[in-house]
Amino acid sequence: DQQVKQNSPSLSVQEGRISILNCDYTNSMFDYFLWYKKYPAEGPTFLISISSIKDKNEDGRFTVFLNKSAKHLSLHIVPSQPGDSAVYFCAASVYGLTGGGNKLTFGTGTQLKVEL
Amino acid sequence: GAVVSQHPSWVICKSGTSVKIECRSLDFQATTMFWYRQFPKQSLMLMATSNEGSKATYEQGVEKDKFLINHASLTLSTLTVTSAHPEDSSFYICSAPLTVNSPLHFGNGTRLTVT
């Protein structure tokens, strides 16, 4: 049972344009969401997170939007750069459970390719 | 720079042998570390939570006798894949939070291939 889903395995965007990566979840207990970026042969790197008490969080070029009623979140990257090309994982947790948002459930990832 | 160091980055072993993977927190103490596994084209799946000074907590379906976890110090957790078989071939990644409620930092992973 995949509780966190990323339905687009890949996304191709032109440099300078907006990249929008989507993520859906089914477990209504999730209240903390994160995005990680992963290059080949490396571990995931934390990008940005959002708590369920918010619907938007912004950090530089990265913005995460949360729609709790739809159980949907998205990551916007503006402007997209070639160095953003990587696999992006959405993750979710129950923040108040067992020491914070550490026990993460991951999506399957979306391969973003930013083309020149 | 990296805050979690994992070693080795890749290993090839014969079926039936055991392999040990080390995960170290750099410049911080990690009372809890998390071990994940990723099969090709799949998501990272949590295998177990490693607790310093106590037994690890395993996720459903993960054999604790096959995947031995030791967290003997505040900066080191080890995962030993015992009697490895080809189906254990996977990408194993450890992680730890800098503080109790901070996002996880991941090591670079270990690619295990069992022949």
Side-chain angles (χ1 to χ4, degrees):
Chain A
D1 175 33
Q2 190 71 28
Q3 297 186 61
V4 179
K5 300 177 185 178
Q6 293 175 258
N7 292 319
S8 297
S10 63
L11 174 68
S12 188
V13 171
Q14 277 195 318
E15 182 181 14
R17 299 289 187 104
I18 183 171
S19 295
I20 300 177
L21 297 105
N22 294 303
C23 177
D24 298 292
Y25 61 96
T26 57
N27 188 342
S28 57
M29 296 290 289
F30 288 144
D31 58 4
Y32 185 56
F33 305 90
L34 309 90
W35 284 94
Y36 282 82
K37 174 181 178 180
K38 184 179 181 301
Y39 294 115
E42 293 185 13
T45 303
F46 170 71
L47 271 179
I48 192 169
S49 64
I50 188 167
S51 161
S52 61
I53 62 172
K54 292 185 169 184
D55 53 20
K56 176 183 175 181
N57 189 24
E58 202 170 343
D59 183 2
R61 295 186 298 114
F62 301 93
T63 303
V64 56
F65 295 92
L66 175 63
N67 182 333
K68 283 180 293 183
S69 61
K71 294 192 178 68
H72 176 84
L73 64 155
S74 60
L75 175 68
H76 292 209
I77 307 173
V78 181
S80 301
Q81 300 172 354
D84 296 330
S85 297
V87 177
Y88 289 78
F89 287 96
C90 167
S93 72
V94 181
Y95 194 77
L97 184 70
T98 56
N102 293 158
K103 196 169 177 179
L104 302 180
T105 300
F106 282 86
T108 49
T110 296
Q111 172 76 60
L112 173 66
K113 184 177 180 182
V114 180
E115 298 172 322
L116 296 171
Chain B
V3 296
V4 176
S5 174
Q6 192 171 337
H7 179 80
S9 56
W10 61 271
V11 58
I12 302 172
C13 71
K14 291 188 176 180
S15 186
T17 61
S18 295
V19 173
K20 180 186 282 189
I21 302 169
E22 292 187 347
C23 180
R24 295 182 185 273
S25 58
L26 305 178
D27 300 323
F28 74 100
Q29 295 179 336
T31 55
T32 304
M33 291 185 175
F34 299 86
W35 286 95
Y36 285 81
R37 177 170 55 183
Q38 184 186 23
F39 290 108
K41 299 191 189 302
Q42 295 187 23
S43 64
L44 287 81
M45 299 296 292
L46 179 65
M47 297 176 66
T49 303
S50 173
N51 304 299
E52 188 269 332
S54 65
K55 291 182 180 180
T57 306
Y58 290 82
E59 295 300 302
Q60 192 173 10
V62 178
E63 299 174 56
K64 61 180 181 181
D65 294 329
K66 180 167 186 60
F67 299 100
L68 300 179
I69 291 174
N70 184 280
H71 195 152
S73 79
L74 286 169
T75 60
L76 174 64
S77 174
T78 61
L79 168 68
T80 301
V81 183
T82 63
S83 187
H85 291 285
E87 57 265 31
D88 298 323
S89 298
S90 187
F91 190 58
Y92 293 85
I93 317 177
C94 70
S95 63
L98 283 175
T99 61
V100 171
N101 291 325
S102 67
L104 291 179
H105 287 268
F106 286 82
N108 278 340
T110 298
R111 170 73 60 194
L112 170 64
T113 302
V114 185
T115 60

